[in-house]
Amino acid sequence: MTHKALIVGASGIVGSATAKLLSDEGWQVWGLARTPRQQANVTPVAADLLDPAALASALSGLDPSHVFISSWLRQATEAENIRVNSAMVRNLLTALSPAKSVKHVALVTGLKHYLGPFENYGKGVLPQTPFREEQGRLDVDNFYYAQEDEVFAAADRDGFTWSVHRPHTIVGKAVGNAMNMGTTLAVYASICKHTGRPFRFPGVEMQWEGVTDMTDATLLARHLLWASTTQAAANQDFNVANGDVFRWKWMWGRIADWFGIEAAPFDGTMRPLEEQMADDAATWSEIARHHDLAEPDMNRLVSPWHTDADLGRPIEVITDMSKSRRLGFLDYQPTDDAFIALFEELRADRLIP
């Protein structure tokens, strides 16, 4: 029997990596996005998750056995995040319900489950690190919780199994993505090289000196595949990280070396990328013209606010993977290799010089 996957957010970092993996594994794959892009062996489905009628029409005739949800829309407040993003999940699963084909739904959220939403990010009383799944929810409103609740309610109604996946900051390629540290740093490094500006770490001393981890998009895709096809992983929540830990004081030098620039000494002063890159759109357009790059609009590539949030955290953040390891997921990905693989792909696709 051929597995049939519907990937929601197929144009994003997680969705595109998952689509490639599943199609390579012989799955039939539909890729849903508001504006789908062409992907090999993926059938595009154009749909707006906030338009129930149009969504039901777009999904009519599809019979996915597995659904992978890796899409969200950032709103001005957490109340709006909850309203909009829970509706997206609810509308999707309602539209799929009549076909009764879905066997498993995998939802990708993240460490804001433990750290709190953007309005209260890394503040207040937080669980002890490394974060473990049994630590549960914080006593704050969080759109991740609302998304989970929509999946749980639909699972009770329709009888499918589910999994929740909580990656740390994801390394992977996507254009127009709302949270993309790897490409943001690549563009920043390219601008520093072009202009001769210092390649300055934008975060705080805690992140420079402390231990952290990250999640490669291809490893996350393998984790999604594993959890969706492993009986012991059904109806479970999982942290997902590469398996290594590092300090930014080391990683910053590794990134600088790849771009052939010097890593500026860190003096303890936070210099947010939103400030450093505020006037760089014209510079990037110039770089793009000079090197014949595929995307001259810097704002389609970078998300400085998200990188600043991660590198500005006042606490050390690492995740525990014991739950997945005990159930048999043993994959490992060195994070510096993940960054380098991304940079090479961005260069090959003419997204950076």
Side-chain angles (χ1 to χ4, degrees):
M1 171 180 154
T2 301
H3 290 310
K4 300 178 180 181
L6 175 65
I7 299 176
V8 182
S11 299
I13 293 176
V14 178
S16 58
T18 305
K20 183 178 187 309
L21 174 65
L22 296 184
S23 63
D24 287 349
E25 291 287 326
W27 288 46
Q28 181 178 347
V29 180
W30 293 285
L32 187 151
R34 282 173 295 173
T35 307
R37 64 179 180 85
Q38 292 300 314
Q39 296 170 270
N41 302 313
V42 176
T43 302
V45 178
D48 183 348
L49 295 175
L50 292 173
D51 186 338
L55 179 62
S57 177
L59 296 177
S60 178
L62 273 60
D63 58 344
S65 56
H66 294 69
V67 179
F68 300 87
I69 304 173
S70 61
S71 179
W72 74 291
L73 288 175
R74 187 187 184 198
Q75 304 300 309
T77 66
E78 192 60 19
E80 279 298 289
N81 273 329
I82 291 169
R83 184 186 68 82
V84 169
N85 289 285
S86 63
M88 290 165 60
V89 175
R90 181 170 62 253
N91 293 342
L92 170 74
L93 298 179
T94 298
L96 291 170
S97 183
K100 304 300 180 188
S101 64
V102 177
K103 305 300 182 187
H104 186 90
V105 172
L107 173 68
V108 179
T109 61
L111 293 196
K112 287 186 290 297
H113 182 94
Y114 307 108
L115 287 162
F118 290 119
E119 290 179 3
N120 297 291
Y121 191 59
K123 300 174 183 177
V125 179
L126 300 173
Q128 185 178 23
T129 59
F131 293 140
R132 292 181 169 85
E133 293 88 347
E134 64 265 23
Q135 290 168 321
R137 296 180 175 184
L138 299 174
D139 187 21
V140 296
D141 293 334
N142 190 322
F143 83 87
Y144 283 170
Y145 306 162
Q147 286 183 309
E148 288 182 346
D149 288 342
E150 294 294 345
V151 171
F152 301 157
D156 288 342
R157 179 190 68 212
D158 294 336
F160 56 74
T161 59
W162 55 266
S163 55
V164 175
H165 305 254
R166 299 180 189 132
H168 198 166
T169 305
I170 299 170
V171 181
K173 193 194 86 170
V175 175
N177 192 269
M179 299 190 295
N180 193 335
M181 178 188 283
T183 303
T184 299
L185 293 181
V187 169
Y188 173 57
S190 299
I191 290 171
C192 288
K193 183 171 185 176
H194 179 79
T195 61
R197 278 164 35 189
F199 183 56
R200 297 190 183 279
F201 182 69
V204 297
E205 187 170 7
M206 171 59 76
Q207 296 306 312
W208 181 254
E209 297 285 352
V211 174
T212 192
D213 55 22
M214 293 183 71
T215 306
D216 180 62
T218 58
L219 180 134
L220 176 53
R222 295 195 298 273
H223 193 269
L224 287 161
L225 172 59
W226 165 79
S228 300
T229 56
T230 300
Q231 186 174 359
N235 302 330
Q236 299 285 340
D237 53 352
F238 296 104
N239 298 330
V240 192
N242 287 338
D244 66 340
V245 295
F246 64 91
R247 301 179 198 277
W248 274 105
K249 64 190 299 182
W250 173 80
M251 186 66 77
W252 201 248
R254 291 279 288 150
I255 293 172
D257 287 346
W258 193 88
F259 283 93
I261 56 179
E262 292 290 327
F266 180 63
D267 62 5
T269 302
M270 185 177 183
R271 296 178 172 87
L273 285 180
E274 276 202 298
E275 295 177 7
Q276 292 196 55
M277 302 180 73
D279 300 319
D280 281 342
T283 301
W284 184 254
S285 294
E286 176 188 319
I287 293 170
R289 285 194 302 272
H290 181 73
H291 293 279
D292 190 28
L293 300 183
E295 182 51 74
D297 183 354
M298 185 186 77
N299 294 319
R300 292 265 298 151
L301 298 172
V302 303
S303 51
W305 67 272
H306 173 256
T307 299
D308 288 340
D310 271 13
L311 299 183
R313 292 182 300 213
I315 60 171
E316 186 175 85
V317 177
I318 51 176
T319 47
D320 182 79
M321 281 284 288
S322 297
K323 186 175 183 179
S324 292
R325 305 298 189 219
R326 290 188 178 105
L327 292 175
F329 184 80
L330 305 177
D331 287 26
Y332 169 84
Q333 171 64 58
T335 302
D336 55 331
D337 288 355
F339 271 121
I340 290 169
L342 170 63
F343 300 154
E344 290 173 346
E345 186 176 8
L346 292 174
R347 181 168 285 172
D349 290 347
R350 295 176 30 252
L351 290 169
I352 62 172

